[in-house]
Amino acid sequence: MTSTLLLISQSLCKRRYWWLAALIWLALSNPAKALELRVAIAEGASQIRVGSSTPAKILDVAGRPLGELGPREGFFAQSSGSRVMVAGKQSSQVWIEPSAGGVVYIGEACAPPCGGRWYRGRIKLVKTSRGLTAVNVVDLEHYLASVIGKEMYPTWPLEALKAQAVASRSYALYQRQHGANSIYDVGDTTTWQVYEGMATEFPSTQAAVSATAGQVVTHNGQTIQAVFHAASGGHTENVEHVWSSPLPYLRGVKDFDQGCPVYQWALTFSPSDLSRRIPGVGNITAMVPLSTTPWGRIVKMKVVGDAGTQTVTGRTLRTALGLKSTLFTVNPHFGLFASTGKTASKPVAFQVIGRGSGHGLGMSQWGAHNQAIQGRTYQEILQHYYQGTTLSQAQVQ
């Protein structure tokens, strides 16, 4: 029955009946068989407000009841020494488990909806050296429907959303296997994948997840590190030129992101602003590339000032200047002295001209969008950006 429903859902997706496909996707959810992901949604908090849409159990680390939470009620969890304190009771960990398909709320120290969000699944509260950590233990497919709605526009072509679904599933499972710690598998920020719970679920993202259920990108039978970025600026990079070790599936390929909003951009900085952002050399007079990747991204830049010179990495400059990528050039502007009409000897401004957004590795999201517009399938999109890979069904415990 499940396989029949899935085929019907996939057919509906292709015919763009996303709303009906999404209903079937919800019907396929089976917590008893679901692959759950542990997502850190709050870290280092002194207290966390928790709520539930339905009656919820409050359990200790051993699964013993500590209390109950009524629907739409809330309480504050606080750190107490090395333990979590809830309603006057303490445990090294506290679980919040809603009943009857309910969802949970995690927020700041104020009443909903003050800075909080609703999440499917369960919540685990853990005391660490930094404070309280809230972990959402959630069905991987529910997690993906939310991630796609934040990482891509939900109005984008379905084939692009499906490509993102498979890439995000692969990335999450790779991190679960290689980067997880004792408390969680992934976080919820751009360091991982952006996850905001139910707020970023849409019928189109649910349909994309349903249509690709369980699919991951593999190389030699192993799920790959399926990284992605917004746009490469014309060509993606070999991973070893941006990070460290080479990987056979993260090779530079032609991109299809031309015409997207971040394909080309420019920023202008005054000398004083530039010197404030890159301290230690005095008034900056020149910026000279020392090394670049084969496709032009800055690896190292020499920054020259009237008080010294230093070598700065492209990644450091990107952060310091708030740039979209490391694919950029710096052009000094000298101007003219009004009194003499002669060119100034020192720059009066620096213009940074760049392309793309992100690290330039793996799948380009705007490239995927444009390829989908051109009629390419999600399988073709993924195999273009992840060289020598195949699509497989996830085999995980």
Side-chain angles (χ1 to χ4, degrees):
M1 175 62 73
T2 298
S3 60
T4 301
L5 284 172
L6 182 57
L7 289 173
I8 294 172
S9 175
Q10 292 172 340
S11 175
L12 289 167
C13 289
K14 292 177 182 178
R15 295 166 59 190
R16 297 184 181 276
Y17 291 115
W18 293 350
W19 61 273
L20 188 52
L23 290 177
I24 294 177
W25 174 80
L26 291 173
L28 289 174
S29 299
N30 187 342
K33 297 180 180 179
L35 170 62
E36 291 184 321
L37 195 68
R38 301 174 303 161
V39 188
I41 56 176
E43 288 190 86
S46 59
Q47 59 181 1
I48 295 175
R49 186 176 180 89
V50 179
S52 175
S53 65
T54 62
K57 296 178 181 178
I58 306 173
L59 307 174
D60 69 8
V61 65
R64 296 182 294 255
L66 291 175
E68 293 185 353
L69 182 64
R72 300 285 173 168
E73 293 181 351
F75 68 83
F76 290 111
Q78 298 178 315
S79 60
S80 176
S82 63
R83 302 168 75 80
V84 182
M85 184 169 65
V86 176
K89 300 181 180 180
Q90 300 182 22
S91 178
S92 58
Q93 296 180 11
V94 171
W95 285 89
I96 311 300
E97 296 189 352
S99 63
V103 293
V104 287
Y105 172 88
I106 294 293
E108 300 172 358
C110 54
C114 177
R117 299 186 178 99
W118 291 94
Y119 296 89
R120 300 185 188 277
R122 302 170 290 153
I123 295 294
K124 178 174 65 173
L125 300 170
V126 182
K127 176 66 170 64
T128 70
S129 59
R130 296 176 53 198
L132 289 181
T133 294
V135 179
N136 182 203
V137 181
V138 61
D139 181 337
L140 173 63
E141 305 298 286
H142 287 153
Y143 164 81
L144 292 172
S146 171
V147 165
I148 300 167
K150 192 64 180 179
E151 291 288 355
M152 275 188 173
Y153 293 104
T155 55
W156 276 14
L158 185 59
E159 292 303 302
L161 297 178
K162 287 156 70 174
Q164 183 69 60
V166 178
S168 289
R169 185 183 292 109
S170 305
Y171 179 85
L173 291 179
Y174 181 93
Q175 293 298 328
R176 183 175 183 262
Q177 182 178 359
H178 298 279
N181 57 45
S182 61
I183 299 175
Y184 57 84
D185 301 316
V186 296
D188 65 348
T189 66
T190 52
T191 302
W192 311 83
Q193 302 183 101
V194 181
Y195 171 62
E196 295 187 354
M198 296 178 66
T200 53
E201 291 180 7
F202 299 90
S204 59
T205 66
Q206 293 168 341
V209 172
S210 174
T212 63
Q215 292 183 9
V216 292
V217 187
T218 60
H219 185 270
N220 288 339
Q222 301 296 314
T223 302
I224 71 167
Q225 186 178 7
V227 294
F228 50 87
H229 59 284
S232 72
H235 205 285
T236 70
E237 291 280 355
N238 294 341
V239 63
E240 66 270 23
H241 296 144
V242 177
W243 289 346
S244 53
S245 302
L247 291 169
Y249 51 82
L250 290 181
R251 318 313 299 158
V253 296
K254 174 188 175 182
D255 202 0
F256 295 83
D257 59 341
Q258 292 79 6
C260 78
V262 291
Y263 182 74
Q264 187 162 329
W265 44 266
L267 292 172
T268 300
F269 298 91
S270 68
S272 60
D273 188 23
L274 205 60
S275 298
R276 179 179 58 82
R277 292 168 182 258
I278 312 172
V281 297
N283 297 313
I284 294 174
T285 58
M287 298 179 69
V288 182
L290 295 178
S291 59
T292 64
T293 67
W295 300 102
R297 284 175 172 76
I298 299 295
V299 178
K300 293 182 180 179
M301 178 85 79
K302 181 170 71 173
V303 181
V304 181
D306 58 13
T309 300
Q310 64 175 274
T311 298
V312 183
T313 67
R315 293 171 68 178
T316 298
L317 282 175
R318 180 187 173 190
T319 300
L321 303 182
L323 308 179
K324 296 184 183 300
S325 74
T326 58
L327 182 57
F328 65 88
T329 58
V330 181
N331 301 318
H333 290 254
F334 290 91
L336 298 174
F337 287 115
S339 59
T340 63
K342 294 181 179 180
T343 302
S345 59
K346 295 182 179 180
V348 297
F350 291 86
Q351 186 179 42
V352 180
I353 299 176
R355 296 203 313 273
S357 180
H359 47 56
L361 301 176
M363 187 178 75
S364 159
Q365 292 168 312
W366 274 104
H369 168 274
N370 289 350
Q371 288 190 69
I373 291 290
Q374 295 167 12
R376 293 186 177 92
T377 66
Y378 77 97
Q379 296 96 329
E380 292 172 322
I381 293 170
L382 291 167
Q383 288 170 355
H384 174 73
Y385 290 113
Y386 305 114
Q387 292 284 290
T389 61
T390 57
L391 290 184
S392 308
Q393 286 296 122
Q395 301 294 325
V396 293
Q397 297 293 322

